[in-house]
Amino acid sequence: MLQLMWPRFGLLFLLIFQTSIISQAIAKPLPQFVDITTQAGIDFEHNSGAFGQKYLPETMGPGCAFIDYNNDGWQDILLVNGKDWPNHTTQRRQTMALYRNDGDSDGDGIPEFIDQTTSAGLDLPFYGLGVAVADYDNDGDLDFYLSCLDLDRLFQNQGDGSFLDQTEKSGILNPSFGTSCAWFDYDNDSYLDLFVANYVEWSIEADLFCTLDGTHKSYCTPESYNGQSSKLYRNRGDGTFADVSRIARIEDKTSKSLGVCIFDFNTDGLADIFEANDTQPNKLYQNNGDGTFIEQGMIAGVAFSEDGKATGAMGVDAGDYDGSGRESLVIGNFSNEMINLYHNEGSFFIDDAPIANVGSSSLLTLTFGCFFFDFDLDGQLDIFTANGHLEDEINTVQSEVTYAQTPHLYLNTGNGAFIDVVAKVGPDLQRPIVGRGTVHGDIDNDGDWDLLVATCGGPVYLYRNDAITTGGVNAPSWIKVLLVGTESNRNGIGARVSILTEQRKQTRTLRSGASYCSQSELSFIFGLGEATQVEQLDVRWPPTLKHRQGRRTVLQNIKANQQLVIQEDNIN
């Protein structure tokens, strides 16, 4: 009898313990996110081209990016935009926007952003959706790739504040429905290659009539259209690229991909590819190390939901949120499908969303952008999601689902669980929006992550993270790390950085892309909590043809609250 009762008591004890931990997390002071968009000088509204015809691409964009394009140490902002349709013109903006961060020149705590789109040579009309930032030519300047509805674009940084369209010269040709994209070095030759996610076969001429109420046209779901294969472009190192999609075995025309995340899921030192597909099975391409990949999504347990169905997967990110040393996945899904939190067990994944308290709370929201980040600097990765529906009239047919939706901000409680604290970090972040791409970056160089959220057909929002300094509580400590590769790629993309303090060990990987159609700052910020120093910082640089395991840099006894610029030449 006692043996039969023990599991119940054990479960009860676990629930009481979890409740206690969550109560402590709720009680502690949290940073506040403040909307500084207007004060910072940012005036941008996304143009989806919508004028009542309900064309599918109108619902999907846009992405956004943090990019220090002028190397002055301040994060600038790149905003992707659509444009008017050929059969309908408006007075809305037709180009992307590049805002230069001039820092806090007047001392009011708000950086000043200046629109540099025209002077940078970016005042060109494209129906853009996604963006990925990296120094693909290893010349010290950040370039970017723009995915578009018709023909993607590659922009090379000229080093003088301007960009040059190198698409034709590079040999890249992707006339598809491009969405998320990411730079990574899959063949370890020190030149960054490019993965581009493509969605469905759509055109104005092939547009279909779909309806929610049986009478009026609504936006079609992806089931109405055939899928498109994603693309893998190998960087030859001379400014040109080769389409190796078929050779590398990632070509699959059944895919309807919206998100991509590059991470080493089996910790073998090779960059693998996770592809988030909308209403089709997700794909996990394991890097074989010989220029080819093998698809392992079903075997690894990430292809379908726990009930065996393909979800409406959107954005994705990877992170070691529990200190296991392995990166797990967070995936944003359609409404009435909870967020996935795939815990990495080593060779397979288990969806911990229900027991981690992110499942039921995300059931009614439609999540596009999502990522791991440590917003309160306690040394544990939290989760942010940008939410918003596709159909502006969804509430007429689903009373519990809305078009504009509040973001989720999941605080890591430290026991494998999270709690949504968006209501605890100020009123600005609680505003319902039609969220799409979202990223994190340190816009004011104060050592904490600020937020940028793009919306569909609406404004962009810039939220400043205001540290905990009230009620006698001191702000937590931090260390910021910027990598400079010499033998590996210039940004150190793919590098794995670990730090050790008295409290815990933390591990992060530098990646391009992730979230949804967007690019976060290419730096690390490690929250240290109350620690005053880092006992050891360990950089495992990306593998190269010369050093197959990657070179290693180890630093010790580092004082907190500073930024480190670590060059690969500083090795042990």
Side-chain angles (χ1 to χ4, degrees), residues 21-39:
I21 295 293
I22 290 173
S23 297
Q24 294 176 31
I26 295 175
K28 76 174 185 179
L30 294 174
Q32 303 292 289
F33 283 96
V34 180
D35 180 0
I36 62 167
T37 314
T38 301
Q39 299 96 310

Side-chain angles (χ1 to χ4, degrees), residues 480-501:
K480 188 171 182 179
V481 179
L482 175 67
L483 301 180
V484 180
T486 52
E487 182 180 298
S488 62
N489 69 85
R490 182 64 179 253
N491 299 131
I493 288 174
R496 190 175 174 91
V497 178
S498 299
I499 69 160
L500 180 66
T501 63

Side-chain angles (χ1 to χ4, degrees), residues 215-268:
T215 303
H216 303 94
K217 186 179 182 185
S218 64
Y219 290 110
C220 292
T221 61
E223 290 99 331
S224 304
Y225 299 96
N226 293 325
Q228 292 182 320
S229 173
S230 296
K231 293 288 186 179
L232 178 61
Y233 296 99
R234 182 175 62 84
N235 189 338
R236 294 190 178 103
D238 60 359
T240 68
F241 292 77
D243 184 347
V244 296
S245 309
R246 181 169 297 180
I247 297 171
R249 301 177 187 170
I250 62 97
E251 190 173 76
D252 185 347
K253 293 183 179 180
T254 68
S255 293
K256 300 177 181 180
S257 184
L258 290 177
V260 60
C261 182
I262 309 299
F263 75 126
D264 181 7
F265 86 92
N266 55 359
T267 61
D268 65 352

